[in-house]
Amino acid sequence: MSAPLIVLVGPMGVGKSTVGQLLAERLGTGYRDTDADIVAAQGRTIAEIFVDDGESAFRALEKEAVRTALAEHEGVLALGGGAILDADTRGLLAGQQVVYLSMDVEEAVRRTGLNTARPLLAVNPRKQWRELMEARRHLYEEVATVVVATDGRTPEEVTRAALDALDALESKSVSPGDAPGTPGRRTLR
């Protein structure tokens, strides 16, 4: 069974797509985004799906897109901001190399506050984002192998920090006597 090399999670606007593409380039592998998968399959934007069909319909599409991508994709995979709300999805992330890209509210408002394409932030961006993060932060942390703060960092700096954190984790988990390619371990470079 295949599995992604790295899965990125975090709130909307944190830079999962940008960092995911940079990680894929650095690792010489493919990049995939489950939100892009949904848009391609549905032929309409995420915002249009929310407006036309409602959040619960979108979440069902998202759950299926994530399940499919986790089973098929072997490169870097970025999940939509709310994908971790589903308990089955969180279960599928167990044992994966999951990087949670975090940011504080001021950075979030700067990046997403005026973006009308984000349906969950349409009314009061600062308040909505705080409420979303209060509901989601513990879920991001639950599934994360490592947490990388993005505040005040360029996408390249975030990419380097994610690789460094995963390398450090890998170094700690492999004993000197372990052979490379030990089952359950992945070489990240």
Side-chain angles (χ1 to χ4, degrees):
M1 183 174 120
S2 68
L5 194 57
I6 298 173
V7 179
L8 297 176
V9 299
M12 62 188 85
V14 76
K16 295 181 298 284
S17 296
T18 302
V19 170
Q21 290 170 3
L22 289 169
L23 282 168
E25 287 173 21
R26 289 264 175 90
L27 298 170
T29 190
Y31 169 75
R32 186 168 175 176
D33 180 319
T34 57
D35 279 353
D37 290 350
I38 294 166
V39 169
Q42 295 296 307
R44 52 196 173 137
T45 67
I46 302 293
E48 290 170 332
I49 297 168
F50 264 79
V51 169
D52 295 345
D53 304 336
E55 184 175 359
S56 62
F58 171 76
R59 295 297 172 206
L61 294 170
E62 181 176 56
K63 179 178 179 175
E64 182 59 25
V66 170
R67 188 189 64 72
T68 300
L70 286 170
E72 295 175 355
H73 188 67
E74 296 180 350
V76 176
L77 177 65
L79 305 187
I84 48 75
L85 294 171
D86 182 75
D88 293 337
T89 295
R90 292 193 308 275
L92 291 173
L93 291 172
Q96 303 281 342
Q97 294 278 13
V98 179
V99 176
Y100 163 31
L101 299 180
S102 69
M103 67 180 168
D104 70 21
V105 69
E106 296 309 319
E107 186 81 1
V109 169
R110 185 178 70 72
R111 294 184 193 180
T112 65
L114 302 175
N115 188 342
T116 57
R118 299 188 187 277
L120 293 180
L121 297 182
V123 179
N124 179 341
R126 190 178 307 258
K127 180 178 182 274
Q128 297 291 116
W129 194 86
R130 275 196 182 104
E131 289 174 2
L132 282 173
M133 284 309 296
E134 285 171 15
R136 296 178 181 181
R137 182 175 288 111
H138 72 283
L139 299 174
Y140 290 133
E141 291 170 351
E142 174 187 320
V143 300
T145 307
V146 297
V147 178
V148 177
T150 64
D151 303 302
R153 288 177 157 167
T154 66
E156 292 78 12
E157 290 168 335
V158 172
T159 300
R160 179 80 260 148
L163 289 171
D164 289 348
L166 289 168
D167 283 348
L169 188 67
E170 183 89 3
S171 296
K172 289 179 185 177
S173 67
V174 178
S175 303
D178 286 351
T182 302
R185 310 230 191 275
R186 289 205 188 101
T187 304
L188 295 176
R189 276 191 245 162

